[in-house]
Amino acid sequence: MSDALQKTITLLLLIALGLLLKSKFKNKDQTNGIKEIILSVALPSTIFISLMKIDIDSSMFIIPLVTLIFNFLMFFSAPLAFALFGIEKNSPTGRTLMMLIPSLAPGLSCFPFIAEFLGEKSLAIAALADVGNKFFVLISLYILAMNMFLKNSDDKETKMGGKLKSLFASMFQEPINLLIFIAIILLSLGINYNSLPPLVVDIFDKTSAMMTPLVLLFIGLAVQLKEGKKRIVASILFFRAGITMLISAGMIYVLNITDLNMVLLSIVIPLSAASFWPLAHISAFNLREDAKAMPKEKRTFDLELAVLLLAFSLPFSTILILAILSSGTFFAHTSTLITAGLVLICLGAVPNALSKVFVKMSKASS
């Protein structure tokens, strides 16, 4: 058995263990507690170690900008899904998808597998890439949600300046972002991981070791199979993955990326699960509409759809990322990426096309 296959099976078995333990974690606060340990302790430690162990030069700071460009390319590509699936852009469903499709959450769905398959340097690059994504999901998507809400409700009371200040503050209070900032300062002063006191190194090493097992157990625990708008959610996730691969192929070609690890990073980071932050923005504006007892069909966003898409996005992205990283160099070719992207888009479009055919057939027979 090859190392890649053995590693993949081990990771999948840990996810399966999480699924088996679901009955022991009936309280949502318990699984949220595990997620908080991952995001506040294990993941920040791992990223801090990765950054402190590599030599970061000024050219690497273009990485967040490239990710931010990708976010906007995904944002402007989202309306293509509406044409495929018959969704009205200015409907609660359309506005919700405009928020979620371009967002990324690499922390839970991508970083552990990058660490396992591509190593610490690649993880450090991925952490820098997420800085651009964080700016997009925290700031750009909040402004977008605000604009959608104001257009839909004619609410003039919301003060954007105060909200943006709060978002910037929360961004720098997150342990991941704080440790990235500290690591960059230390590296600029010529201090690397080996220069740190042994006690500090030991703490970071031990907290970092928790990351992969906890993340995989959490994925197993968090998988939800709720009834509802499963067909549209599945279609959107296939479309999102497909258009992501096409954009990744284009960026790899335009930027002339040839290093295998960088090529794989360019593929798997954009395939990360949808971010929680758009849901947080959606929930905030949904609460304002609750206060007005606004009917569901007239609301700015579809909160139920957002929750369902997030629930399915994590396992869906995990499977794709694992498959790509464990396949070696198979996906490291633009032709393969373009083919895979088109296949995924077609898979997303098929259910909607079939339903239209069945509707026409039933009308014709009646």
Side-chain angles (χ1 to χ4, degrees):
M1 186 184 294
S2 68
D3 289 343
L5 181 60
Q6 183 174 327
K7 189 174 290 186
T8 303
I9 292 171
T10 302
L11 299 178
L12 289 173
L13 286 174
L14 282 169
I15 294 173
L17 180 59
L19 284 166
L20 290 172
L21 291 171
K22 279 177 75 73
S23 61
K24 301 287 184 182
F25 290 79
K26 294 177 182 178
N27 189 337
K28 192 176 179 181
D29 289 340
Q30 293 175 311
T31 52
N32 285 341
I34 293 175
K35 183 172 76 171
E36 194 59 42
I37 292 171
I38 294 166
L39 295 178
S40 298
V41 182
L43 187 56
S45 293
T46 304
I47 289 171
F48 180 78
I49 292 169
S50 301
L51 285 171
M52 291 295 291
K53 283 186 176 181
I54 68 166
D55 297 322
I56 295 181
D57 56 66
S58 57
S59 64
M60 292 182 75
F61 289 99
I62 197 173
I63 293 170
L65 179 61
V66 172
T67 311
L68 187 59
I69 291 169
F70 170 83
N71 288 128
F72 278 106
L73 287 174
M74 282 295 289
F75 173 75
F76 291 117
S77 300
L80 295 173
F82 305 155
L84 276 176
F85 309 126
I87 297 168
E88 173 60 41
K89 183 179 178 180
N90 290 319
S91 65
T93 298
R95 289 187 285 263
T96 301
L97 294 177
M98 287 294 289
M99 293 284 290
L100 285 164
I101 286 175
S103 69
L104 301 175
L108 289 173
S109 57
C110 186
F111 285 176
F113 308 111
I114 289 173
E116 289 293 323
F117 285 92
L118 302 181
E120 290 178 341
K121 183 176 180 180
S122 295
L123 181 61
I125 293 170
L128 286 176
D130 191 37
V131 173
N133 171 63
K134 283 282 178 61
F135 182 88
F136 179 79
V137 296
L138 283 170
I139 309 302
S140 301
L141 286 185
Y142 179 79
I143 294 170
L144 175 69
M146 174 82 73
N147 187 48
M148 290 176 173
F149 173 74
L150 292 176
K151 280 185 178 179
N152 187 59
S153 63
D154 295 324
D155 190 327
K156 306 297 181 187
E157 298 175 6
T158 305
K159 294 181 180 178
M160 190 179 291
K163 290 290 185 180
L164 289 179
K165 283 181 184 178
S166 174
L167 282 169
F168 273 117
S170 67
M171 187 174 177
F172 285 103
Q173 285 170 3
E174 281 190 44
I176 292 176
N177 298 332
L178 189 61
L179 283 177
I180 288 174
F181 184 66
I182 291 170
I184 290 170
I185 290 174
L186 291 175
L187 288 169
S188 67
L189 296 173
I191 301 170
N192 59 27
Y193 198 60
N194 294 327
S195 308
L196 296 174
L199 179 63
V200 174
V201 170
D202 198 35
I203 289 171
F204 276 104
D205 284 342
K206 284 182 168 53
T207 50
S208 171
M210 300 188 295
M211 185 185 72
T212 301
L214 278 180
V215 167
L216 296 171
L217 287 171
F218 173 76
I219 290 169
L221 291 168
V223 171
Q224 299 291 332
L225 297 173
K226 295 178 182 177
E227 293 298 326
K229 304 172 182 178
K230 288 184 189 175
R231 184 176 63 80
I232 187 63
V233 166
S235 295
I236 289 297
L237 289 176
F238 274 109
F239 168 83
R240 181 177 181 266
I243 206 74
T244 291
M245 286 188 169
L246 294 182
I247 294 174
S248 292
M251 296 186 85
I252 289 166
Y253 177 78
V254 169
L255 298 174
N256 194 28
I257 301 171
T258 55
D259 179 75
L260 177 61
N261 278 15
M262 287 299 292
V263 169
L264 290 173
L265 283 176
S266 302
I267 300 167
V268 298
I269 293 173
L271 284 171
S272 299
S275 173
F276 167 79
W277 279 104
L279 177 64
H281 303 328
I282 287 169
S283 299
F285 291 112
N286 194 65
L287 283 173
R288 294 176 70 90
E289 291 171 337
D290 278 343
K292 297 178 181 180
M294 189 178 287
K296 185 183 271 189
E297 64 276 6
K298 291 186 178 180
R299 297 203 172 202
T300 309
F301 302 106
D302 185 339
L303 185 61
E304 181 188 337
L305 175 64
V307 171
L308 197 62
L309 195 143
L310 280 177
F312 280 93
S313 179
L314 182 58
F316 183 84
S317 292
T318 300
I319 292 166
L320 278 179
I321 290 167
L322 262 177
I324 289 167
L325 291 177
S326 61
S327 66
T329 60
F330 181 76
F331 285 93
H333 307 283
T334 52
S335 57
T336 307
L337 271 182
I338 292 169
T339 304
L342 292 172
V343 167
L344 286 168
I345 290 171
C346 289
L347 287 173
V350 163
N352 187 57
L354 287 176
S355 66
K356 286 183 178 178
V357 170
F358 287 136
V359 168
K360 287 181 179 179
M361 288 174 63
S362 62
K363 285 182 179 178
S365 60
S366 61

